Amino acid sequence: MLMLPKIAEIVVEALRTGLQYAAGDWIGTDLVDSDLWFGDTVTEAERIELLEALLSDPGLAEEDLELHLGEPPLLTDRRVHTIISSVIRAHRPDAYIIGEEATTSEWEEADNAPTGSEIITIDAIDGSVPYQCLGFGYSSNILVHQRWRRDDTLMLSAVANSSGILVLYHEGEVIVGDVNAPTQFTVASSPLVDPKIGSVAILGALPRHRVRIADVLGDAEATVFTVAGAPAAAGLIAGSLESLVAHSPQTLHDAAFLPMLAALRIPILSETGEWLESSEIDRLFKRQWDGAAEHPRSQHPCPAFVASRNPLRAMRLAKKLGWQK
Amino acid sequence: MNSQFSEVALRAIAAGLGVAHKVLMSPADSIDSEAWIGRQTPSRAVEDELLTELLQGAGHAGNSPDEPVDKQAHDAIQESIRKILPHSLVFGQKATSDEWRIADQADEGVLFNVDSIDGVLPFMALMFGYSTNILGFTRSQGFDNLEIAAVGLPGGRAALWNAGLAGLVDGRVRIGQWDASPWNSSVDTEEWGVVLPGPLTGLEGVKKNTVAALSSDPVHRRQLEPLLGSDSWTVFTTGGAPASFGLIAGALEALVATEWQATYDVAYLPMFLALRIPVISLENGQPLDAVGASRVFEGPKRSTKDDRPVPPFVAARTMDTAKQIAASLMGKA
């Protein structure tokens, strides 16, 4: 059995709890009905604690909604954020928690965190549209940074998709498993299975996105899934997905899987034609609170990119996206 | 008996999806990513290898017709079913020819038609967007009666249809969590899940202009061109049984099946009928009514291998939407 560092254990527990809640909320089960929600995995006391956290949560104010990135948040987004926060805080009461659904005061507290603090970023439901419409194809993402003076250095990143498949990065290692079976995690030194040639996940369900990826959709040799980003990242690492495309700049929590791809030496080609290796990913994932053009809440420091197990495929996709002549 | 069928189905779903995850997580040798070291230009030999792979599909491991994980999941499902109903017959997408033959020869008994992993392509590539589908029926004097239809998603959700007294449209549809842990198949089926009140029509709670259709491969993308080329539809390229959850309990407006379907592919159709979700055939533009659907699931033996009795169709939360999509896909828009 693989022994996880304590912080990784906490993150896995938080992701498991958040995903369980998201799935239950999608079905519309009553929060208080333990049989329908958590089953036997959470004690009555823990359930009550989580419920209290939800009930006492102030929610997002007008100002927070205006600053929210991407699609307007669902009620479930904030609830899952609150659930994940409460699990983390139960183990790490001094951690500072921010994220897409964090409030302005949570961001301000994190801004003023002292050196040595853990700054934990949550993207409660990455892929709100597929969550809402399909009930799958979303993920919960968590980043753990450590504060040093005014910069935050990445310590851990983790993504768990709607199937419960976890990919986690910690100190150069990539761990793969099912959040519901933590005794069966494995360390991946390379992607677990060979790729299906020509398979690509690319953000393209919405009409405005399909216009941008028209040449990829028109590729007679490509298998194209119009979902991308963190929910599909496990496919590159533990599945047979060959390529993943993010055709616009990404926030750190959206791109929480990039350190894993770099650690597994999966080629990542940026929109500007540069190959992003580990040292560059490390630099991108350092969060700067001072001196940046935008507040960390609004930053999209990761450029658009194609990640592909075959670098020639990455170059071909970049060309189809009009990035390279 | 209804409760027993529910228990069998939920346990089988847990067993099948559990095995699927385990197989997927088993590390295997792979050299692809090691061939590329950061920013360095690949060596000529590595470049040649990658080029071959790119152009010819050498080393292709995905979506092979004999994906062993399907079979392992099927076997786990069969074992799970027979723990409770030892004399039942199990056949389906990954059954052997003998299993199909034995099922087809039986005139009496309890039978299960299983698709252990519906959506092998998204299962392997994305690790979501797949399901386990189970149909359970009783056979008497060579005549089949559908008792249960179940679709389970990874992550712990399932939708169940239990037979009612007056045929398919009278069934009861429930949705709930079987157990988030595939390794822990403890299932209490007595009061399991939430009963969905029908009819489920109209646009309340729907995200307008959203459609799921199996269209990740080029052939299906061409069929779906009227939707993919439109500037109003949000199109998810994973479809089938996994996406049926979106119509049953999510905000999805429509679902399209682009090819003829085997019975185990459409284990969700009884749920659509019970919830009065309109379904229109893309073969003739006609609504699929309860009588037509009954012939798919009930009547003289429904266990012939390679039988694909359900035409391509569109299902939607309103008849108008179903008609609109059907017309555009049939070239009549």
Side-chain angles (χ1 to χ4, degrees):
Chain A
M1 181 178 156
L2 183 67
M3 292 296 291
L4 292 180
K6 185 65 185 168
I7 184 65
E9 276 183 16
I10 295 166
V11 165
V12 170
E13 185 189 338
L15 288 170
R16 180 173 57 245
T17 311
L19 286 174
Q20 281 182 342
Y21 176 79
D25 198 54
W26 190 84
I27 290 170
T29 51
D30 191 335
L31 282 178
V32 193
D33 190 335
S34 57
D35 291 337
L36 297 180
W37 183 25
F38 281 119
D40 298 327
T41 56
V42 174
T43 66
E44 185 69 25
E46 286 170 318
R47 196 174 304 119
I48 290 168
E49 208 171 288
L50 290 172
L51 195 60
E52 281 171 356
L54 280 175
L55 294 174
S56 62
D57 178 49
L60 295 175
E62 280 294 316
E63 177 193 10
D64 300 318
L65 294 173
E66 279 171 22
L67 291 168
H68 188 272
L69 303 174
E71 295 279 320
L74 307 171
L75 191 57
T76 312
D77 277 310
R78 173 66 190 178
R79 284 179 168 175
V80 174
H81 175 95
T82 305
I83 291 270
I84 291 176
S85 302
S86 66
V87 173
I88 291 170
R89 288 219 165 91
H91 300 279
R92 290 287 218 262
D94 297 329
Y96 292 83
I97 295 179
I98 53 179
E100 197 157 291
E101 278 76 35
T103 61
T104 299
S105 65
E106 285 171 309
W107 278 96
E108 284 171 358
E109 285 167 20
D111 191 354
N112 297 317
T115 288
S117 303
E118 278 178 337
I119 314 291
I120 297 180
T121 313
I122 298 168
D123 189 356
I125 298 179
D126 184 346
S128 294
V129 177
Y131 169 80
Q132 199 181 2
C133 293
L134 301 174
F136 59 80
Y138 57 94
S139 65
S140 293
N141 314 336
I142 294 180
L143 298 166
V144 180
H145 282 84
Q146 189 159 44
R147 170 68 47 89
W148 176 249
R149 294 182 180 163
R150 295 294 293 153
D151 292 341
D152 298 342
T153 302
L154 184 72
M155 308 303 289
L156 178 150
S157 67
V159 174
N161 73 15
S162 52
S163 301
I165 307 294
L166 169 86
V167 285
L168 184 146
Y169 169 85
H170 180 255
E171 292 184 351
E173 280 194 328
V174 178
I175 292 162
V176 179
D178 186 318
V179 288
N180 299 302
T183 58
Q184 308 205 10
F185 287 170
T186 185
V187 176
S189 56
S190 62
L192 297 189
V193 297
D194 289 339
K196 173 175 168 50
I197 308 303
S199 58
V200 54
I202 183 166
L203 202 63
L206 298 172
R208 68 171 188 271
H209 292 151
R210 285 204 302 277
V211 170
R212 301 174 72 170
I213 65 165
D215 283 355
V216 178
L217 284 170
D219 186 342
E221 293 170 9
T223 300
V224 185
F225 300 100
T226 56
V227 287
L236 273 181
I237 295 164
S240 66
L241 186 66
E242 186 183 46
S243 308
L244 186 152
V245 180
H247 52 67
S248 57
Q250 305 282 296
T251 64
L252 291 186
H253 53 74
D254 283 336
F257 56 93
L258 273 184
M260 306 166 205
L261 303 189
L264 295 177
R265 297 183 186 283
I266 293 173
I268 306 164
L269 180 61
S270 80
E271 187 179 13
T272 54
E274 286 172 294
W275 294 100
L276 304 177
E277 57 183 313
S278 286
S279 57
E280 180 63 5
I281 299 294
D282 286 348
R283 191 188 65 75
L284 291 173
F285 274 76
K286 268 191 195 304
R287 185 187 286 114
Q288 290 182 307
W289 290 81
D290 295 331
E294 284 182 301
H295 186 270
R297 188 174 189 175
S298 310
Q299 286 172 7
H300 290 73
C302 300
F305 63 85
V306 178
S308 180
R309 304 233 226 139
N310 186 324
L312 301 183
R313 177 76 64 187
M315 292 163 72
R316 182 183 270 198
L317 282 166
K319 199 172 273 184
K320 283 188 180 296
L321 291 162
W323 295 354
Q324 294 179 0
K325 302 298 175 200
Chain B
M1 195 64 179
N2 244 345
S3 170
Q4 194 168 35
F5 270 110
S6 303
E7 183 182 354
V8 169
L10 289 170
R11 286 188 185 282
I13 284 167
L17 290 173
V19 164
H21 274 204
K22 266 187 185 171
V23 171
L24 211 55
M25 293 298 157
S26 302
D29 292 336
S30 176
I31 59 160
D32 278 16
S33 62
E34 291 170 3
W36 175 263
I37 310 295
R39 190 183 286 169
Q40 296 169 19
T41 304
S43 71
R44 187 58 191 263
V46 167
E47 196 175 64
D48 284 349
E49 199 178 310
L50 292 168
L51 197 59
T52 305
E53 191 180 83
L54 182 72
L55 296 176
Q56 296 176 3
H60 171 246
N63 197 32
S64 81
D66 294 309
E67 199 66 64
V69 65
D70 279 32
K71 180 63 179 154
Q72 290 184 50
H74 177 90
D75 292 346
I77 288 169
Q78 189 172 56
E79 188 184 335
S80 169
I81 290 172
R82 287 191 174 147
K83 268 185 190 164
I84 301 173
L85 297 169
H87 302 298
S88 57
L89 298 175
V90 180
F91 59 101
Q93 208 227 4
K94 280 291 154 185
T96 63
S97 295
D98 278 350
E99 286 168 329
W100 276 97
R101 185 177 47 76
I102 290 166
D104 208 38
Q105 284 175 349
D107 285 327
E108 308 283 336
V110 175
L111 297 91
F112 289 90
N113 191 355
V114 169
D115 190 355
S116 54
I117 299 178
D118 183 348
V120 171
L121 194 53
F123 166 70
M124 289 300 293
L126 301 175
M127 312 183 84
F128 57 77
Y130 56 95
S131 65
T132 291
N133 310 340
I134 295 175
L135 294 162
F137 50 97
T138 49
R139 179 172 292 169
S140 176
Q141 298 179 338
F143 194 93
D144 291 342
N145 275 308
L146 189 66
E147 302 289 349
I148 192 158
V151 178
L153 287 185
R157 273 164 293 170
L160 289 188
W161 172 95
N162 286 101
L165 294 174
L168 282 182
V169 293
D170 190 36
R172 183 174 73 141
V173 181
R174 288 181 288 167
I175 187 161
Q177 290 181 265
W178 40 265
D179 192 312
S181 167
W183 284 268
N184 174 11
S185 55
S186 63
V187 177
D188 175 11
T189 54
E190 280 301 312
E191 295 298 327
W192 182 88
V194 175
V195 177
L196 295 182
L200 190 61
T201 54
L203 294 174
E204 191 186 343
V206 162
K207 196 166 173 69
K208 278 284 288 170
N209 292 337
T210 53
V211 58
L214 193 66
S215 54
S216 57
D217 66 84
V219 173
H220 291 136
R221 285 206 301 278
R222 276 195 294 278
Q223 285 176 269
L224 263 290
E225 180 51 36
L227 290 175
L228 287 168
S230 86
D231 58 7
S232 57
W233 284 95
T234 296
V235 185
F236 301 103
T237 55
T238 48
S244 69
F245 270 68
L247 267 187
I248 294 168
L252 189 68
E253 187 176 4
L255 178 126
V256 176
T258 45
E259 55 190 22
W260 284 80
Q261 307 280 303
T263 317
Y264 49 70
D265 288 328
V266 290
Y268 54 90
L269 262 189
M271 303 174 203
F272 283 6
L273 290 164
L275 296 170
R276 309 292 193 274
I277 294 172
V279 179
I280 290 183
S281 163
L282 291 174
E283 281 293 293
N284 58 17
Q286 295 301 309
L288 183 68
D289 61 14
V291 176
S294 292
R295 290 199 202 103
V296 173
F297 296 101
E298 300 189 319
K301 293 179 184 177
R302 288 285 176 267
S303 47
T304 309
K305 195 178 180 186
D306 301 327
D307 190 18
R308 302 179 88 79
V310 181
F313 64 83
V314 53
R317 290 284 289 271
T318 69
M319 185 58 92
D320 283 349
T321 305
K323 283 180 176 171
Q324 181 199 340
I325 293 175
S328 72
L329 294 178
M330 295 172 76
K332 294 174 185 171

